[in-house]
Amino acid sequence: MLALMQLVFHFVFFKNQKEVFTALADWQFILLVLATISIAAGGYVINNIMDQETDAFSKPKNVIVGKHISEGMAYNIYVALNILGVGIGFYLSNIIQKPMFSAVFIVVAGTLYMYATSLKQNLLIGNIIVALLLSFSVIIVGIFDLYPATYDGNQLQMAMLFSILLDYALFAFIINFIREIVKDIEDMDGDYNSGMNTLPILLGKDRTAKIVFGLAFVPVILLVLYVNNNLLELQWVMYYMLLFVLAPLLYFLIKIWNAKSKKDFSHLSLILKLVLLFGILSIVVITINMKVNA
């Protein structure tokens, strides 16, 4: 999902904008994607190492560390992935003559480590961090691909493209934040046994589900406003957003109200993942529609 999000913006959206030149060559952008997913994968590995007890209780069939690979091997993989990601980040930062940008990769890797080892045990902090890091994977495209190629002559156009990136980053943050809470409800029993302090542990499944119901109105309202303000002239895009993004969100709203079982919340988590996927792919539809109308 991370890779797709970044690849779609560079190879589909940016490449089809008139007189827009990106700072990274195609092969360099592939390296940026590799750095991003390497650090994200490293965060996934360290999270699995720290969650062995929780996963053994809540999802025993999906346990990897301690079952398929040893904890020592998992740590080696974690270190290797972070060295690869940070190393590529350092290389790309020097390529675009912004060496300080390499700090971004170090900060993200460090934040993922802190999340896995301590922050996720704090109420909502872990949910916010995961959602922020996903949305930042969109913003980093602008930092490395647009900002270094910006000058006085194209400043307005680059600002417009960056604002679109920010719109998608905000959408990704909201959807993933809600999804993280749904996953907390799904994993409540395992988290409770591990001494976690999540929202459903504090308030109970039913109350948390009702809070999620209320939160889910935020992306619905924002999406309706966004379509009304920006996409009415792009008819196919408007239909796509209503059918593939808004409709699943409305379905989520209906189902979350009466959700009770672990299976229900797992299904709803999948729905939000699909909303995120179709939201990402909307940039492809927007690009095609813009070319047709040009």
Side-chain angles (χ1 to χ4, degrees):
M1 195 82 79
L2 288 174
L4 177 65
M5 205 180 313
Q6 294 179 328
L7 291 168
V8 161
F9 272 105
H10 178 84
F11 287 100
V12 178
F13 190 53
F14 296 162
K15 290 290 184 181
N16 285 282
Q17 299 297 315
K18 292 180 180 179
E19 298 179 6
V20 170
F21 302 97
T22 54
L24 297 176
D26 291 348
W27 67 272
Q28 292 169 340
F29 189 83
I30 295 294
L31 286 180
L32 178 65
V33 175
L34 179 59
T36 304
I37 60 176
S38 294
I39 291 175
Y44 181 79
V45 172
I46 192 66
N47 197 53
N48 272 263
I49 293 171
M50 298 301 167
D51 274 0
Q52 290 179 69
E53 183 182 342
T54 305
D55 291 344
F57 181 87
S58 59
K59 40 188 175 183
K61 293 182 180 179
N62 296 329
V63 173
I64 297 174
V65 178
K67 186 176 181 180
H68 297 291
I69 61 172
S70 68
E71 187 173 314
M73 177 61 74
Y75 271 113
N76 290 336
I77 294 171
Y78 166 71
V79 171
L81 286 168
N82 278 285
I83 289 174
L84 177 63
V86 172
I88 293 174
F90 181 78
Y91 169 74
L92 292 176
S93 299
N94 282 277
I95 285 288
I96 61 173
Q97 298 180 358
K98 304 285 183 182
M100 292 300 293
F101 282 9
S102 59
V104 168
F105 298 92
I106 299 170
V107 169
V108 171
T111 303
L112 284 170
Y113 179 82
M114 291 172 63
Y115 164 79
T117 56
S118 61
L119 291 177
K120 69 178 177 181
Q121 297 176 11
N122 299 317
L123 185 65
L124 292 179
I125 299 297
N127 307 108
I128 293 170
I129 287 174
V130 171
L132 277 174
L133 290 176
L134 177 67
S135 62
F136 188 70
S137 68
V138 181
I139 297 172
I140 201 172
V141 173
I143 292 174
F144 277 82
D145 220 14
L146 296 181
Y147 176 69
T150 302
Y151 57 93
D152 290 341
N154 69 354
Q155 199 167 12
L156 289 177
Q157 189 173 9
M158 289 300 206
M160 182 269 292
L161 294 178
F162 212 102
S163 71
I164 293 173
L165 277 177
L166 291 176
D167 291 336
Y168 275 83
L170 177 62
F171 176 77
F173 172 80
I174 294 171
I175 296 299
N176 210 47
F177 176 68
I178 295 171
R179 183 169 176 263
E180 285 298 310
I181 298 177
V182 172
K183 286 167 63 182
D184 281 345
I185 302 174
E186 181 187 352
D187 297 336
M188 177 180 168
D189 294 336
D191 289 342
Y192 179 80
N193 288 334
S194 299
M196 305 281 282
N197 185 28
T198 63
L199 200 62
I201 290 173
L202 180 67
L203 301 178
K205 286 185 179 182
D206 289 341
R207 288 181 181 176
T208 305
K210 298 304 183 286
I211 290 173
V212 171
F213 175 80
L215 287 174
F217 275 99
V218 175
V220 169
I221 293 169
L222 289 177
L223 188 62
V224 170
L225 291 174
Y226 193 82
V227 169
N228 184 63
N229 293 335
N230 301 286
L231 303 176
L232 286 182
E233 295 181 1
L234 302 174
Q235 279 197 336
W236 288 109
V237 181
M238 182 180 66
Y239 295 145
Y240 173 91
M241 297 296 279
L242 295 176
L243 184 61
F244 291 101
V245 184
L246 184 60
L249 278 173
L250 293 175
Y251 171 82
F252 176 87
L253 273 170
I254 294 168
K255 299 295 287 185
I256 190 69
W257 185 259
N258 294 313
K260 300 291 183 186
S261 67
K262 184 181 177 74
K263 184 178 180 181
D264 291 338
F265 293 110
S266 178
H267 172 68
L268 290 170
S269 176
L270 176 61
I271 294 299
L272 290 179
K273 187 181 283 190
L274 290 174
V275 167
L276 195 58
L277 173 63
F278 288 126
I280 294 165
L281 293 177
S282 69
I283 201 69
V284 178
V285 183
I286 290 173
T287 304
I288 293 171
N289 207 161
M290 287 173 65
K291 289 191 72 175
V292 170
N293 292 344

